[in-house]
Amino acid sequence: AAGGGGAPPEDGAPRDLVVFERHLALRSKGGNHCHMNCVPVPRERAKKARKIFEQAAKRLNFEWTELLPKPESAIDLQTAIAEIAGDGEYYAVHLPDGTVLLRVIRPKEPHWMSFGREVLGHLLGCPERTSWQACMESEAAEVLRAEKFKASFEPHDAPAREAARAE
């Protein structure tokens, strides 16, 4: 999952986005913090995401609350989460079909930070890459990956196209 695990984007396989989100209180500083991880998953595997997240929840003795009806906008999503979690901590999974699974995390209730990475590592068939430390690359490899990433967006960079035409 982290560091580009799973099949490389160059394989051309259609992908769907699976997002997991952890909203937590900053107890020592006040306020709150949110982590959102957006992971492109090969479409055939993405179809299994809900089942795998549900199995993981069952192993940990909790159940998801599905947001119904499916939120149609960001405002709908924020409203639905607030109605269930209030200002408290929560964990959410956003599936490619628009389904959102929510778990409210009560004060002092454990929820490990690597949960989503571990579930998606299993889904992607690379559980050994669920820890970012296992995904470290040399600086040269990181630079090459960044250049390929930037190049993949060039067709969508209107200002760069306009500048090239002006030359």
Side-chain angles (χ1 to χ4, degrees):
E10 297 82 23
D11 70 2
R15 300 202 183 292
D16 288 325
L17 197 61
V18 176
V19 177
F20 57 95
E21 169 184 6
R22 172 79 156 85
H23 178 267
L24 56 118
L26 298 175
R27 290 172 182 79
S28 63
K29 299 178 183 177
N32 56 43
H33 186 69
C34 185
H35 294 267
M36 292 189 80
N37 293 261
C38 305
V39 183
V41 176
R43 185 159 293 146
E44 287 306 308
R45 290 183 183 249
K47 292 175 185 177
K48 301 173 185 173
R50 180 180 184 138
K51 181 179 179 182
I52 290 180
F53 272 100
E54 287 175 341
Q55 289 172 342
K58 186 175 182 178
R59 281 194 314 273
L60 295 172
N61 297 315
F62 75 86
E63 292 184 10
W64 297 105
T65 299
E66 182 176 348
L67 300 185
L68 292 172
K70 289 180 184 177
E72 294 185 22
S73 69
I75 297 292
D76 291 347
L77 177 62
Q78 289 176 325
T79 301
I81 290 173
E83 286 175 359
I84 296 170
D87 290 333
E89 295 187 8
Y90 66 87
Y91 194 92
V93 177
H94 307 256
L95 299 170
D97 69 356
T99 298
V100 178
L101 305 175
L102 184 73
R103 177 187 184 218
V104 173
I105 303 170
R106 305 284 174 218
K108 300 188 182 194
E109 183 179 30
H111 187 89
W112 89 94
M113 296 298 285
S114 63
F115 176 75
R117 289 190 309 271
E118 291 186 20
V119 172
L120 283 176
H122 178 74
L123 178 66
L124 290 167
C126 55
E128 72 282 359
R129 293 184 59 108
T130 59
S131 170
W132 66 268
Q133 293 97 334
C135 301
M136 298 296 291
E137 296 180 318
S138 69
E139 184 174 347
E142 286 184 10
V143 167
L144 181 61
R145 181 184 296 274
E147 292 303 321
K148 285 182 178 181
F149 182 78
K150 290 175 193 175
S152 73
F153 281 92
E154 285 178 4
H156 311 288
D157 188 352
R161 285 194 313 271
E162 291 299 319
R165 281 189 210 136
E167 290 178 357

